[in-house]
């Protein structure tokens, strides 16, 4: 069961611009209250990985888990390479034990076979908390676990106030809810931009294998995965992002103006939902409430109005720069640097200047 309270500071109706007036990050708790009180928490972290690499969102979730305090164990499952991932994870600072489970049943990392094993671990070890990244996989695995354990999930947290109280954004990030869970087991996903990643060195966790015997025979079968191959940096983690909006008018316009600018800045490419819906850019590039939530060092918004749902995905960028021909476009209310100009003139000019 959870109780929710809105932060008074943000619960009053405010124009979008003032709610996002600063480009600073959403408030995150840097207070490690566990240092002043003995924590009775006992946490299991669900570790995501791909091709032998730990997902950064799991390392972010670990930082949030550390704020709760207590002992932290991790669980890694997969159909191959699990040992290598566990070896890497054992060096991550703050984890004392890694449980591993490797089985062909986990191909595709679907939640159906993984969650019964997770549930059994949680019950056997009496974990008080389960943490995971708020990623596509986290959003698949964690709600199923919460349902099987018959507890409420607290999703997409951005701050830890205490062992049972967390903050999470609501209304596309325009208000922050403080959520207190009275459930015996707190099941939590963590926003990938809200905490720093835990250090990948300095730990020495033990590794223990668990059987896949509990893995359910899943009603779904993994068929194939198609991943967009791109030589550009990954949108979710790139330090620089250049995004285009509806103003690009076509897929060709997007290719001609956004992609070369991104390449010149060694940046990832992003897009507004309007650009994605119109077919100018791939769905995987969408930034915003229903797309990716990112916090790069530099975010360049080209021909994007700055609708609240778009801001929800990029307002934590350290520096926001915008090109828009409308001086009243809302994007300028969050931009650190704004250029009121026609993108079809400004982008080629920028490219020329960047070449020098
Ligand atoms: C539930 C929900 C979820 C949503 N989720 C998302 C989301 O995740 N991400 C997202 O982006 N949107 C999302 N949206 C949509 C959002 O509300 C906006 O419709 C969308 O962001 C608008 O995209 P845009 O800025 O590219 O287009 P527009 O709003 O049409 O803006 C285009 C901008 O380009 C400027 N422009 C035009 N021509 C030029 C030119 N030649 N040079 C320079 N500037 C020019 C215009 O002045 C204008 O500001 C969501 C909406 C809903 C209801």
């Amino acid at each position: 069961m959870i109780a929710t309270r809105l932060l008074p500071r943000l619960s009053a109706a405010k124009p979008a611009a003032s709610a996002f007036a600063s480009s600073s990050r959403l408030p995150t708790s840097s207070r490690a209250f566990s240092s002043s009180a003995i924590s009775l928490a006992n946490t299991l972290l669900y570790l995501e990985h791909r091709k032998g690499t730990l997902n950064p969102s799991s390392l972010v979730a670990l930082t949030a888990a550390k704020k709760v305090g207590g002992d932290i164990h991790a669980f890694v499952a997969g159909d191959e390479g699990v040992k290598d991932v566990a070896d890497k994870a054992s060096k991550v600072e703050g984890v004392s034990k890694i449980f591993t489970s490797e089985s062909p049943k986990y191909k595709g990392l679907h939640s159906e076979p993984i969650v019964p094993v997770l549930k059994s671990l949680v019950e056997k070890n009496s974990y008080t908390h389960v943490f995971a990244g708020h990623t596509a996989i986290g959003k698949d695995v964690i709600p199923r676990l919460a349902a099987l354990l018959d507890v409420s999930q607290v999703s997409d947290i951005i701050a830890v106030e205490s062992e049972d109280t967390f903050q999470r954004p609501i209304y596309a990030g325009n208000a922050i809810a403080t959520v207190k869970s009275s459930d015996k087991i707190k099941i939590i996903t963590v926003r990938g931009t809200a905490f720093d990643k835990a250090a990948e060195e300095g730990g020495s966790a033990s590794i223990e294998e668990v059987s896949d015997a509990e893995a359910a025979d899943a009603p779904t079968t993994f068929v194939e995965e198609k991943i967009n191959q791109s030589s550009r940096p990954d949108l979710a983690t790139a330090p620089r992002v250049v995004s285009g909006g509806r103003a690009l008018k076509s897929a060709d316009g997007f290719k001609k103006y956004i992609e070369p600018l991104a390449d010149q800045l060694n940046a990832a490419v992003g897009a507004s939902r309007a650009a994605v819906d119109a077919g100018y850019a791939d769905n995987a590039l969408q930034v915003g409430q229903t797309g990716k939530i990112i916090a790069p060092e530099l975010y360049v918004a080209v021909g994007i109005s700055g609708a609240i749902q778009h801001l929800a995905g990029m307002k934590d960028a350290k520096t926001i720069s915008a090109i828009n021909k409308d001086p009243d476009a809302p994007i300028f209310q969050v931009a650190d640097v704004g250029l009121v100009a026609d993108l079809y003139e400004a982008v080629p000019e920028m490219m020329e200047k960047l070449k020098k």
Side-chain angles (χ1 to χ4, degrees), residues 284-330:
L285 302 184
Q286 185 177 317
V287 173
Q289 184 188 343
T290 43
K292 295 217 164 62
I293 293 175
I294 56 174
E297 295 291 325
L298 173 68
Y299 187 83
V300 184
V302 181
I304 291 179
S305 59
I308 190 165
Q309 297 89 353
H310 187 79
L311 301 186
M314 43 59 78
K315 66 184 163 43
D316 289 341
K318 296 261 175 349
T319 302
I320 298 172
S321 140
I323 304 172
N324 197 304
K325 67 178 184 185
D326 174 8
D328 295 325

Side-chain angles (χ1 to χ4, degrees), residues 18-330:
S18 60
F20 291 126
S22 147
S23 66
S24 64
R25 285 166 170 251
L26 286 164
T28 57
S29 169
S30 56
R31 188 165 52 107
F33 45 81
S34 54
S35 59
S36 55
I38 296 168
S39 172
L40 298 175
N42 183 22
T43 293
L44 183 65
L45 171 72
Y46 180 69
L47 271 180
E48 272 183 54
H49 60 97
R50 173 173 282 276
K51 294 193 190 313
T53 305
L54 286 172
N55 190 316
S57 64
S58 297
L59 299 173
V60 169
L62 172 57
T63 303
K66 282 186 192 174
K67 290 186 186 294
V68 167
D71 208 12
I72 302 176
H73 297 167
F75 174 65
V76 49
D79 62 321
E80 57 181 3
V82 167
K83 193 183 168 308
D84 288 348
V85 179
D87 284 344
K88 280 182 196 157
S90 67
K91 298 190 181 76
V92 172
E93 202 184 347
V95 180
S96 62
K97 187 187 250 186
I98 316 275
F99 290 105
T100 64
S101 190
E102 185 168 307
S103 164
K105 293 180 187 173
Y106 304 133
K107 196 167 171 58
L109 295 176
H110 285 167
S111 58
E112 286 94 336
I114 291 175
V115 172
V117 182
L118 253 180
K119 177 178 177 265
S120 158
L121 263 183
V122 170
E123 288 171 339
K124 275 185 199 145
N125 295 288
S126 307
Y127 290 114
T128 56
H129 294 71
V130 178
F131 276 79
H134 192 69
T135 58
I137 288 181
K139 285 188 261 183
D140 181 26
V141 167
I142 295 303
R144 181 173 284 265
L145 177 66
L148 288 182
L149 291 169
D150 196 22
V151 297
S152 302
Q153 175 182 335
V154 185
S155 307
D156 201 16
I157 66 156
I158 56 165
V160 176
E161 283 197 357
S162 70
E163 287 184 14
D164 62 4
T165 308
F166 310 91
Q167 289 181 10
R168 61 181 299 263
I170 56 172
Y171 303 126
N174 219 15
I176 309 297
T178 300
V179 179
K180 181 171 176 151
S181 167
S182 55
D183 281 320
K184 199 170 155 232
I185 307 169
K186 325 288 184 231
I187 305 283
I188 292 147
T189 61
V190 181
R191 178 168 288 207
T193 54
F195 301 86
D196 292 333
K197 283 191 288 177
E200 288 184 69
E201 297 295 331
S204 56
S206 59
I207 299 178
E208 186 178 320
E209 217 175 304
V210 292
S211 133
D212 69 348
E214 321 251 8
D217 283 327
T220 50
T221 312
F222 177 79
V223 180
E224 65 171 336
E225 169 176 75
K226 285 187 183 160
I227 296 181
N228 282 339
Q229 297 297 343
S230 169
S231 53
R232 295 197 180 91
D234 175 36
L235 175 60
T237 52
R240 297 173 187 179
V241 174
V242 176
S243 280
R246 199 197 308 267
L248 274 305
K249 292 186 188 154
S250 66
D252 285 346
F254 205 91
K255 260 197 176 60
K256 187 167 167 199
Y257 290 91
I258 299 301
E259 295 185 4
L261 181 58
D263 289 343
Q264 201 143 15
L265 290 169
N266 191 23
V269 170
S272 72
R273 176 156 150 184
V276 168
D277 286 352
Y280 308 164
D282 191 87
N283 187 45
L285 302 184
Q286 185 177 317
V287 173
Q289 184 188 343
T290 43
K292 295 217 164 62
I293 293 175
I294 56 174
E297 295 291 325
L298 173 68
Y299 187 83
V300 184
V302 181
I304 291 179
S305 59
I308 190 165
Q309 297 89 353
H310 187 79
L311 301 186
M314 43 59 78
K315 66 184 163 43
D316 289 341
K318 296 261 175 349
T319 302
I320 298 172
S321 140
I323 304 172
N324 197 304
K325 67 178 184 185
D326 174 8
D328 295 325

